[in-house]
């Protein structure tokens, strides 16, 4: 059974006769760690972690070593730190949580670099320091969907949830720690997340930050003590709102506070709470109280939310939003006015907008307003309504000057539209996602996704002269005819046609009518049958064309010809289809070139784009498949097919080589299949048989040796799908 | 050949249906009806369109004939057809023909669902000709003066295929329905569900939360109808969280994550 002495010593049958691997000893562990962590060059001390690992069973040792390897694939220092903390962490936390922590550190490393990632690692250490009992935590990434749903249900403004060091909000994003593990039970930890969300939501909902608008609190000069006191008072005021609005949640919060042994408020704080509890208390009142008590009372210790208030971050975010939303609101009023004028054919007489509270209910600080035009309530478009709600959240009312319509010319276009940043800018400076679709990418060494790793953009192909298309059709006229026939035979899906002159069933409605016609002496129709007709096939097919540099020359020419033939054939089918090209140059520049979108006709423009397909850079396949997956899922069809036309292996300039690229592509295809998409690959790479079965399965790829065969292969795919 | 008509009396609504006016829809409908103009009701599901029609029919003292359109509904289903009975043929008026002859109000619910050929018979009825061509009989039936035509459609579901053509929509006076304002909706839920004001108000709050989720996970928020359902469950002793789960959350989505989120909202609220 065993292949060497070493193993013989290690593997001994247990009582049930199963072979159990013996734990590795300290020296063995040390040398393995030395190898993984390249100690030869980096001089790290592995004796200590090896010592601790030696006490574990073999399965756990293997597990930890595997993870040390994964983390080290990002950075050796991170891997080393992981090795140092692993034993303690596994003692107090579920594996799931330890993994979440390690992955979070790796994500931070991807995004912000080594130092912040190490801070996450050390954060784990701090956390473990004051942890005594084993806990089962809640991991943000897992519960993000449910929590976001909860948050969006609460609020009018679309707030986002993201990972951050501790709970706080800048009024557009709510930051929460990646892992919540302060109570023993998983659900209770989930409720801690939920409570923190409710508090931060309440800050935006009940006007905490309005003190920044009129200078009552200057974010730059306010002392930390004042901010902390204000924050404490606000927390009490907002809790009173939560108790009124969300009593069910408030009950849960009270229970959790007891579990966390949140100390009861001292007498002076109880008195302060009494003073801020009324629904009519404002953030300004709390600020006044804070100023009055500054230096005379300490904020009560918050063991519950551990939230922070960051006036500077909020002020920046709010200022930009106020300017933007004011411009957009006024412009949209102008549009409304114009529309109304057109409808009623009125003279260009001046019209007047007014705002009115929908209901006056100080209890709930009801901030719903309706907009009137010349005294009549207007139904606002959704976009305008959202703006109005967001403005009301910030200001608490709608100032007069917001009601004066303004033309788009009055503002900088940047204010009115979220502009698409230049592809080149996206990755410079900070990590941000505007304008690009960020897709995840599978890192097989890490055995996990790298989040938002690829910046995908759509680029336009400038159409070229379509003479290429004419030329191709002439050159392959024989093939075109044959193709049409092949595809026409494919047309159709079951449908029952009524009132047919012949067919396999009887149309009783028609028969009854015919008999009654006959009885009245009218001529009797012979259209009395039903026939099964195959039409209205419900397929959507997307073609993904490799535009990498390696297609340069005859392959590219062949691809373009094949596309022409393919379109010609598909047009006769009447099915929906789309064609996209793709190419990449590192993860920062992943490009998709729409050649024909689903809702586009096979027009001269499309033909021109086919002619313009040119070799670009590399073949990062995963992002392209993921984007096509998303595009296909937006199409309403029963059967969705993705056909990739390529000339070789996935490959890119950065790490996307060999196994990395293949595994990511494989993963993307698994995702697509899970989403109900049928992926196929047609390739001219003779070596493809080495890796394509691994990616597509044996039945879903073909290697063609000449272009003309390609459309026929597509017809094979169709046939397989429809019969 | 005898035309057989149903007893239209059965379609008369004798008791006043409970209806809370939302805006000036009653006045507009009356004016349209008085001027023999057809009416188009737009609005999301369960916001009171059917109830409104019942109320207007009662108010105008006309029988109300409702046809729910579906994708197999043909022109003959509306106009009528021949039947054979004991070797004799017999013409049966369809619901639309009956309403046209008798001067009833005909309400075609979800008109976009019907087959395209039904429009052919609706168009001449919906402009100032006010006639219904019955091809099989070779007859052109002139509508009785009291005849009224109303159709409804839900713009929320519109797909390219199922949008109303301009030539159709431009024949109608449009009434735009939406969920009633919070106070009004609470009053409706209170009355229809048999609840106290506080619980009704909370149900409406919950509905608003689900409506906030429209477009980010939910296709639609909770309709007034669903609130009434939940209200009825609560009134018969079911706990509010369970009632919202059964009558509202499960009706809105099957997605486990969204269900969980909606559940978190209701457990926070009650
Ligand atoms: N204005 C209202 N006055 C009284 N009841 C109302 C009102 N609006 C809604 N309702 C209540 O909501 C329920 C659903 O309304 P209704 O059946 O009329 O909806 P609908 O708009 O016809 O929906 P659908 O488009 O799905 O047919 C009614 O049974 C009633 O209980
Ligand atoms: Mg209805």
């Amino acid at each position: 059974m065993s292949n060497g002495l070493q193993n013989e010593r290690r593997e001994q049958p247990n009582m049930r006769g199963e072979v159990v691997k013996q734990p590795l000893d300290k020296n063995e562990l040390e040398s393995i760690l030395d190898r993984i962590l390249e100690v030869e060059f980096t001089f790290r001390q592995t004796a200590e972690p090896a010592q601790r690992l030696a006490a574990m069973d073999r399965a756990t040792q293997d597990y930890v070593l595997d993870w040390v390897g994964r983390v080290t694939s990002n950075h050796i220092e991170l891997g080393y730190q992981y090795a140092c903390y692993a034993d303690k962490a596994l003692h107090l936390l579920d594996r799931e949580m330890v993994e979440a922590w390690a992955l979070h550190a790796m994500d931070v490393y991807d995004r912000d670099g080594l130092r912040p990632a190490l801070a996450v690692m050390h954060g784990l250490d701090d956390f473990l320091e004051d942890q005594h009992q084993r806990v089962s935590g809640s991991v943000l990434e897992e519960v993000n969907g449910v929590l976001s749903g909860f948050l969006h249900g609460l609020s009018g403004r679309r707030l986002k949830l993201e990972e951050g060091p501790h709970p706080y909000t800048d009024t557009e994003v709510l930051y929460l720690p990646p892992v919540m593990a302060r109570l023993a039970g998983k659900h209770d930890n989930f409720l801690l997340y939920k409570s923190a969300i409710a508090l931060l939501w309440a800050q935006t909902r009940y006007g905490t930050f309005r003190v920044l608008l009129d200078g009552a609190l200057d974010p730059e000069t306010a002392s930390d003590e004042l901010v902390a006191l204000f924050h404490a008072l606000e927390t009490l005021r907002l809790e009173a709102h939560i108790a009124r609005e969300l009593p069910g949640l408030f009950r849960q919060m009270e229970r959790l506070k007891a579990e966390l042994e949140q100390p009861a408020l001292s007498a002076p704080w109880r008195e302060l709470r009494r003073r801020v509890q009324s629904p009519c208390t404002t953030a300004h009142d709390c600020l006044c109280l804070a100023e009055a008590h500054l230096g005379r009372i300490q904020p009560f210790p918050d063991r519950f939310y551990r939230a922070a208030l960051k006036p500077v971050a909020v002020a920046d975010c709010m200022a930009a939003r106020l300017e933007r939303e004011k411009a957009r609101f006024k412009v949209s009023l102008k549009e409304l006015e114009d529309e109304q004028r057109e409808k009623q054919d009125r003279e260009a007489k001046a019209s007047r907008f007014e705002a009115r509270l929908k209901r006056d209910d100080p209890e709930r600080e009801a901030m719903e307003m309706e907009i009137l035009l010349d005294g009549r309530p207007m139904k606002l478009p959704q976009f305008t309504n959202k703006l109005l709600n967001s403005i009301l959240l910030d200001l608490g009312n709608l100032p007069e000057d917001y009601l004066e319509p303004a033309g788009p010319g009055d503002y900088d276009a940047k204010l009115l539209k979220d502009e698409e940043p230049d592809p080149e800018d996206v990755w410079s400076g900070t990590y941000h996602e505007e304008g690009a679709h960020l897709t995840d990418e599978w890192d097989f060494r890490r055995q996990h996704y790298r989040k938002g790793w690829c910046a995908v953009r759509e680029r336009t192909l400038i159409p070229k002269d379509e003479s290429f298309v004419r030329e191709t059709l002439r050159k392959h006229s024989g093939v075109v005819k044959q193709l049409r026939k092949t595809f026409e035979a494919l047309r159709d899906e079951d449908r029952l046609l009524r009132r047919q002159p012949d067919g396999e069933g009887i149309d009783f409605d028609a028969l009854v009518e015919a008999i009654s016609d006959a009885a009245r002496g009218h001529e009797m129709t012979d259209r009395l049958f039903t026939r099964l007709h195959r039409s209205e096939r419900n397929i959507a097919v997307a073609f993904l064309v490799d535009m990498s540099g390696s297609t340069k020359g005859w392959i590219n020419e062949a691809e373009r010809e094949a596309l022409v033939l393919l379109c010609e054939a598909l047009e006769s089918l009447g099915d929906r289809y789309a064609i996209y090209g793709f190419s990449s140059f590192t993860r920062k520049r992943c490009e998709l070139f729409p050649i024909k979108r689903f809702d586009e006709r096979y027009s001269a423009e499309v033909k021109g784009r086919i002619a313009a397909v040119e070799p670009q850079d590399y073949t990062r396949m995963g992002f392209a498949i993921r984007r096509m997956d998303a595009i296909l899922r937006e199409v309403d069809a029963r059967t969705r097919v993705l056909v990739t036309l390529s000339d070789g292996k996935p490959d890119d300039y950065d790490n996307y080589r060999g196994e990395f690229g293949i595994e990511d592509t494989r993963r993307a295809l698994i995702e697509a299949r899970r989403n109900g998409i049928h992926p196929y690959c047609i390739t001219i790479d003779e070596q493809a048989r080495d890796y394509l079965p691994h990616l597509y399965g044996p039945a879903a790829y073909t290697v063609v040796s000449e272009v003309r065969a390609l459309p026929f292969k597509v017809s094979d795919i169709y046939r397989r799908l429809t019969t | 050949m005898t035309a057989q008509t149903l007893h239209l009396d059965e379609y008369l609504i004798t008791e006043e249906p409970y209806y809370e006016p939302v805006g000036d829809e009653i006045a507009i409908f009356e004016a349209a009806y008085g001027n023999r103009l057809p009416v188009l009701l737009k609005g999301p599901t369960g916001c009171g369109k059917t109830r409104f029609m019942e109320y207007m029919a009662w108010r105008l003292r006309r029988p109300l004939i409702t046809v729910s359109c579906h994708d197999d509904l043909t022109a003959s289903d509306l106009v009528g057809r021949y039947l054979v009975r004991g070797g004799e043929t017999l013409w049966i008026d369809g619901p639309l023909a009956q309403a046209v002859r008798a001067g009833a109000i005909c309400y075609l619910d979800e008109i976009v669902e019907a087959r395209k050929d039904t429009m052919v018979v609706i168009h001449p009825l919906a402009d100032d000709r006010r006639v219904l061509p019955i091809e099989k009989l070779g007859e052109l039936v002139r509508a009785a003066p009291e005849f009224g035509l109303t159709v409804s459609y839900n713009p929320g579901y519109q797909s390219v295929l199922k949008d109303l053509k301009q030539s159709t929509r431009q024949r109608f006076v449009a009434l735009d329905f939406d969920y009633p304002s919070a106070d009004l909706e609470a009053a409706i839920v209170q009355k229809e569900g048999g609840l106290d004001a506080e619980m009704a108000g909370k149900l409406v709050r919950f509905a608003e939360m689900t409506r906030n989720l429209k477009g980010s996970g939910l296709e639609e928020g909770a309709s007034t109808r669903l609130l009434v359902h939940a209200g009825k469950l609560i009134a018969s002793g079911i706990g509010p969280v369970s009632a919202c789960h059964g009558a509202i959350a499960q009706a809105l989505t099957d997605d486990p994550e969204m269900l969980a989120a909606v559940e978190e909202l209701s457990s926070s609220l009650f």
Side-chain angles (χ1 to χ4, degrees), chain B residues 94-145:
Chain B
L96 183 61
Q98 286 180 40
V100 166
R101 289 188 210 269
I105 294 178
C106 184
Y107 176 41
L108 304 177
D109 207 353
E110 285 298 340
I111 184 80
V112 278
E113 295 293 338
R115 293 262 283 263
K116 295 273 170 289
D117 66 332
T118 53
M119 292 302 161
V120 179
V121 299
I122 290 170
H123 277 190
L125 257 187
D127 53 33
D128 52 11
R129 288 174 284 172
R130 294 203 10 124
V131 291
L132 177 69
I134 305 186
E135 208 185 312
K136 295 273 170 47
L137 295 178
E139 204 183 322
L140 202 61
V141 187
R142 198 156 294 283

Side-chain angles (χ1 to χ4, degrees), chain B residues 18-22 43-52 107 109-110 180 188 192 224-225 228:
Chain B
Y18 165 63
Y19 181 74
E20 291 277 355
V22 179
T45 182
C47 69
K49 300 185 293 289
T50 301
R51 180 61 65 87
F52 172 67
Y107 176 41
D109 207 353
E110 285 298 340
I188 294 170
E192 291 272 286
T224 311
R225 175 188 297 128
V228 171

Side-chain angles (χ1 to χ4, degrees), chain A residues 180-193:
Chain A
M180 190 66 92
R182 305 204 335 250
L183 287 163
K186 203 174 176 108
H187 186 64
D188 282 350
N189 283 313
F190 170 82
L191 288 177
L192 282 179
Y193 270 137

Side-chain angles (χ1 to χ4, degrees), chain A residues 495-500 507 509 530 536, chain B residues 67-79 81 96 108-123 161-165 168:
Chain A
R495 197 181 84 184
L496 199 63
L497 294 182
R498 296 177 192 282
R499 294 179 197 276
Q500 297 298 308
D507 184 349
D509 276 353
T530 58
E536 280 191 271
Chain B
V67 182
S68 299
C69 301
H70 50 83
D71 49 9
D72 257 349
L73 188 96
T74 61
S76 355
D77 291 327
L78 288 177
V79 173
R81 52 164 48 97
L96 183 61
L108 304 177
D109 207 353
E110 285 298 340
I111 184 80
V112 278
E113 295 293 338
R115 293 262 283 263
K116 295 273 170 289
D117 66 332
T118 53
M119 292 302 161
V120 179
V121 299
I122 290 170
H123 277 190
L161 296 173
K162 291 202 167 155
D163 202 1
L164 271 190
K165 279 195 305 207
T168 307

